[in-house]
């Protein structure tokens, strides 16, 4: 609200206690970056173990409808990249952006040759307000000019009730519709050309495609390098929502579609099906509190049971 970049970091259990703040950020159009380190639930679950069980939580947290983006780095390098991108996306769209990691990734450490540090300072999206400033003014892309208190002559109102362009509470039906449409229009700043694209590994002309997100990334890549299989590729999705445009095109080319996830219900597979209409042929799911090992994935690629 005051103009500083803000991030909160917690586990899924900690975040579950605070989800009302997400919908508040949605209606006051405040940038916010939220990092959730996933551990097995529900409740306290397995507090020292790992899982990818909170995608649905991040996707649906907060009541009502408003835009958000979800990034899920699978490597230490991507964790840095996604953190920088999350702040840029949140600032540009004035909306919450999630970074989903898990206990396994957070416990990992290794040497890296070079981190993808930004080449220049982040751009400021804050404007100096005029006397007639309206915080929630209607605009084509849904992103109203963002002022902060004390910078300019205008009054910066922030209201958690539905409001008009000035930030004054209203229950006018036409204003409600216009404000909802304005906020939802900000999805364009989070997807499309602004989305973090997926990466394809393995066979270029694949018949079987394994799709994963987050910390399964390096495990699957290493496993495919150990298997003599010229028909299998891996699609790694560091942005899981909004689903990047390229995901549907790459999935649609596969004769056999497999999702690998550290949860019991295939949360990313369900999201992809909802967004693209493309359904998994097979699910590789692991939810015992442990990550997939390379040996696990080699066995699954070879049509064997988990080791």
């Amino acid at each position: 609200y005051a103009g500083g970049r803000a991030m909160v970091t917690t586990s899924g259990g900690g975040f579950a206690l605070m989800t009302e703040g997400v919908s508040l950020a949605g209606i006051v159009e405040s940038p916010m970056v939220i990092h959730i380190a996933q551990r097995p639930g529900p409740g306290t679950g397995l507090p020292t173990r790992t899982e990818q069980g909170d995608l649905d939580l991040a996707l649906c947290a907060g009541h009502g409808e408003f835009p958000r983006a979800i990034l899920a780095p699978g490597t230490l390098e991507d964790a840095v990249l996604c953190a920088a991108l999350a702040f840029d996306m949140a600032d540009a769209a004035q909306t919450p952006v999630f970074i989903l990691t898990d206990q396994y990734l957070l416990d990992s450490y290794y040497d890296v040759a070079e981190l993808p540090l930004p080449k220049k300072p982040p751009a400021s999206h804050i404007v100096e307000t005029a006397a007639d400033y309206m915080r929630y003014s209607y605009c084509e892309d849904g992103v109203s000019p963002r002022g902060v208190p004390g910078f300019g002559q205008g009054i910066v109102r922030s209201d958690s009730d539905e409001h008009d362009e000035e930030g004054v509470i209203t229950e006018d039906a036409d204003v409600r519709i216009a404000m909802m449409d304005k906020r939802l229009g900000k999805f364009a700043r989070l997807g499309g050309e602004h989305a973090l694209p997926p990466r394809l590994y393995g066979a270029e002309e694949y018949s079987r495609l394994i799709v994963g997100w987050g910390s399964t990334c390096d495990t699957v890549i290493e496993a495919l390098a150990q298997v003599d299989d010229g028909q299998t590729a891996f699609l790694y999705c560091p942005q899981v929502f909004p689903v990047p445009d390229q995901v549907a095109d790459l999935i649609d080319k596969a004769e056999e579609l497999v999702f690998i996830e550290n949860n019991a219900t295939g949360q990313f597979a369900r999201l992809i099906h909802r967004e693209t209409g493309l359904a998994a042929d097979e699910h590789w799911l692991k939810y015992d509190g442990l990550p997939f090992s390379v040996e696990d994935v080699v066995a699954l690629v070879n049509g064997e049971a988990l080791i």
Side-chain angles (χ1 to χ4, degrees), residues 143-174:
V143 182
S144 305
R146 181 185 173 210
V148 296
F151 185 49
Q153 299 178 313
I155 295 175
V156 181
R157 289 188 176 92
S158 183
D159 205 309
S160 65
D161 288 59
E162 190 58 276
H163 43 255
D164 63 14
E165 291 181 280
E166 293 185 68
V168 177
I169 295 174
T170 182
E171 291 191 355
D172 182 280
D174 291 336

Side-chain angles (χ1 to χ4, degrees), residues 89-104:
M89 294 172 80
D91 283 350
Q94 300 176 20
T95 198
V97 176
F98 290 86
I99 303 172
L100 278 185
T101 64
D102 54 44
Q103 190 71 23
Y104 174 65

Side-chain angles (χ1 to χ4, degrees), residues 240-253:
V240 297
F241 187 78
V243 177
D245 296 338
Q246 304 95 319
V247 170
D249 295 335
L250 293 166
I251 286 178
D252 200 33
K253 291 173 55 180

Side-chain angles (χ1 to χ4, degrees), residues 13-224:
F15 175 72
L17 300 173
M18 300 293 175
T19 54
E20 62 185 358
V22 183
S23 49
L24 174 63
I27 196 167
V28 302
E29 303 188 36
S30 175
M32 181 176 291
V33 177
I34 302 165
H35 167 236
I36 301 178
Q38 302 168 96
R39 301 178 301 182
T44 306
L46 300 175
T48 65
R49 299 298 180 177
T50 193
E51 199 165 274
Q52 293 181 308
D54 292 337
L55 175 55
D56 285 347
L57 176 65
L59 187 65
C60 300
H63 59 288
E65 299 169 301
F66 55 95
R68 85 272 312 271
I70 305 174
L71 307 177
T75 67
L76 302 189
E77 297 91 334
D78 276 348
V80 175
L81 172 67
C82 286
L85 180 60
F87 279 110
D88 291 343
M89 294 172 80
D91 283 350
Q94 300 176 20
T95 198
V97 176
F98 290 86
I99 303 172
L100 278 185
T101 64
D102 54 44
Q103 190 71 23
Y104 174 65
L105 180 68
L106 295 183
D107 282 342
S108 299
Y109 59 95
Y110 51 82
D111 293 332
V112 296
E114 184 178 2
L115 288 174
L117 299 177
K119 303 297 184 184
K120 56 184 179 181
S124 174
H125 294 271
I126 296 171
V127 301
E128 184 173 358
T129 60
D132 61 350
Y133 173 72
M134 294 190 294
R135 173 64 185 93
Y136 305 108
S137 61
Y138 299 129
C139 46
E140 186 173 342
D141 64 358
V143 182
S144 305
R146 181 185 173 210
V148 296
F151 185 49
Q153 299 178 313
I155 295 175
V156 181
R157 289 188 176 92
S158 183
D159 205 309
S160 65
D161 288 59
E162 190 58 276
H163 43 255
D164 63 14
E165 291 181 280
E166 293 185 68
V168 177
I169 295 174
T170 182
E171 291 191 355
D172 182 280
D174 291 336
V175 173
R176 164 65 174 180
I177 292 170
M179 279 293 164
M180 281 293 293
D181 290 344
K182 185 186 89 71
R183 289 190 291 264
L184 293 174
K186 297 190 290 187
F187 267 119
R189 295 285 189 106
L190 304 171
E193 64 182 14
H194 301 286
L196 185 59
R199 300 175 205 156
L200 189 67
Y201 299 90
E204 294 184 6
E205 299 299 324
Y206 50 86
S207 58
R208 176 169 60 173
L209 183 65
I210 304 168
V211 180
W213 57 286
S215 64
T216 59
C217 174
D218 280 347
T219 302
V220 178
I221 292 171
E222 184 175 342
L224 289 183

